[in-house]
Amino acid sequence: MLLDAASLYFRAFYGVPTSVTTPDGRPINAVRGFLDMTARLLTAHRPDRLVACWDDDWRPAFRVAALPSYKAHRLAPEGSEEIVPDELGPQVPVLVDVLAAAGIDRVGAPGYEADDVIGTLATRARGPVDVVTGDRDLFQLVDDARGIRVLYTARGITDIEFVDEAAVRAKYGIPGRAYADFAVLRGDPSDGLPGVAGVGAKTAAALINEFGDLAGIRAAVARTVVARPPLTAAVLKKLHAAADYLDAAPVVVAVCRTIDLPPVEGTLPRAPADPAALAGLAARHGLESSVRRLGAALGWPADALT
């Protein structure tokens, strides 16, 4: 089980009220929500390995170089940092400390997003993989033959949708492997991805189903003399106009699957890595009940923190 950590703690922050606080009154809702979600996932799906995948770089230079608009709307004024709610920012280091003390592997890679860590670990995996995320970009990883599916946090932190190849086909009318090309064509405003102007989801799906993938679509555009559906004269004109964008966008959308990562075991901790530190963090931040639930889901003994 691979957790898209930033996606999940943002979902937790917005899904659990900020009235959930530490003993001294600081919001701790994102950490509580993240830990409780993780406990529920462990209980429901019983993975034999677990990794919290981290955004070491939320807006990698290679993606910005290809498409400067990538996540540009999320930039803090006069800086390179992401806009993060004031009440969420201080909670992230607490979550880092709790995961370390609990013994749950947290993995990031300099210059890459959590998506790329997930893509690489899923590619390396020898067995089935559940990817837990609220990011539809990771739908491109679904692979029924290898047992890779997405547990999509569609709304809040409790409503999970299971996304496999059939689900992608049912929702978007395309094969799961084609989701990245579909996203390039349709666009994604949440990532600053404009898409091809005038090409919506229906046209994007029709093009993919007719020509297989983005390379096939562009080859058809290059050789077309007489337009015919779905490559009508209007669509042909739009794709010609978007040529520069279509050169750049695939680099932005495609999840990297072979980044340089050390071996990652992801072994479920049978006891906290640092019981005293975890007990202290739980007491200081009002996380005792969430830590107990996490421990129960991991099969820790009742006295694990003593």
Side-chain angles (χ1 to χ4, degrees):
M1 179 171 282
L2 304 175
L3 307 179
D4 182 359
S7 171
L8 299 186
Y9 65 63
F10 267 95
R11 293 275 173 157
F13 177 78
Y14 289 111
V16 179
T18 54
S19 56
V20 175
T21 61
T22 63
D24 61 358
R26 291 172 291 108
I28 200 68
N29 54 320
V31 180
R32 283 272 297 271
F34 186 101
L35 296 178
D36 288 347
M37 179 189 290
T38 302
R40 283 194 297 271
L41 289 163
L42 288 167
T43 300
H45 302 290
R46 296 296 177 191
D48 53 12
R49 295 193 293 163
L50 177 71
V51 181
C53 301
W54 215 256
D55 277 337
D56 274 11
D57 191 336
W58 72 281
R59 190 172 181 254
F62 74 93
R63 290 193 167 106
V64 175
L67 196 69
S69 66
Y70 181 61
K71 295 185 177 179
H73 60 296
R74 300 192 214 170
L75 280 168
E78 300 179 2
S80 60
E81 298 301 313
E82 184 176 17
I83 296 172
V84 175
D86 291 342
E87 294 172 313
L88 172 58
Q91 298 187 55
V92 177
V94 176
L95 179 59
V96 170
D97 290 344
V98 169
L99 292 173
I104 293 172
D105 281 351
R106 183 178 66 88
V107 179
Y112 291 97
E113 299 176 64
D115 289 13
D116 304 309
V117 175
I118 290 169
T120 297
L121 294 179
T123 299
R124 287 183 185 177
R126 295 174 182 163
V129 177
D130 281 343
V131 175
V132 187
T133 184
D135 185 352
R136 291 176 299 180
D137 284 347
L138 289 167
F139 290 179
Q140 66 190 270
L141 297 178
V142 299
D143 185 337
D144 290 356
R146 296 195 57 228
I148 300 173
R149 64 179 181 172
V150 170
L151 275 54
Y152 181 56
T153 55
R155 290 170 291 278
I157 61 172
T158 58
D159 188 0
I160 302 263
E161 294 180 8
F162 297 93
V163 179
D164 56 10
E165 292 187 50
V168 174
R169 170 69 75 181
K171 188 170 182 64
Y172 302 106
I174 57 170
R177 58 172 173 73
Y179 186 84
D181 289 346
F182 175 79
V184 167
L185 291 165
R186 182 194 60 179
D188 186 349
S190 68
D191 279 340
L193 195 71
V196 175
V199 171
K202 185 175 179 180
T203 300
L207 290 167
I208 286 169
N209 285 317
E210 179 69 21
F211 301 109
D213 56 19
L214 186 58
I217 294 166
R218 300 197 72 188
V221 168
R223 68 174 179 262
T224 295
V225 176
V226 179
R228 61 179 177 82
L231 200 53
T232 63
V235 171
L236 192 61
K237 183 177 180 180
K238 291 166 184 174
L239 292 170
H240 275 302
D244 289 346
Y245 164 76
L246 292 173
D247 286 340
V251 174
V252 177
V253 177
V255 170
C256 298
R257 306 188 189 208
T258 57
I259 66 175
D260 186 16
L261 287 178
V264 177
E265 291 299 325
T267 305
L268 297 179
R270 297 306 175 191
D274 189 333
L278 187 57
L281 287 162
R284 190 177 320 124
H285 299 290
L287 297 170
E288 293 96 338
S289 60
S290 292
V291 168
R292 280 197 300 272
R293 284 190 285 271
L294 179 65
L298 288 166
W300 291 352
D303 60 352
L305 300 185
T306 60

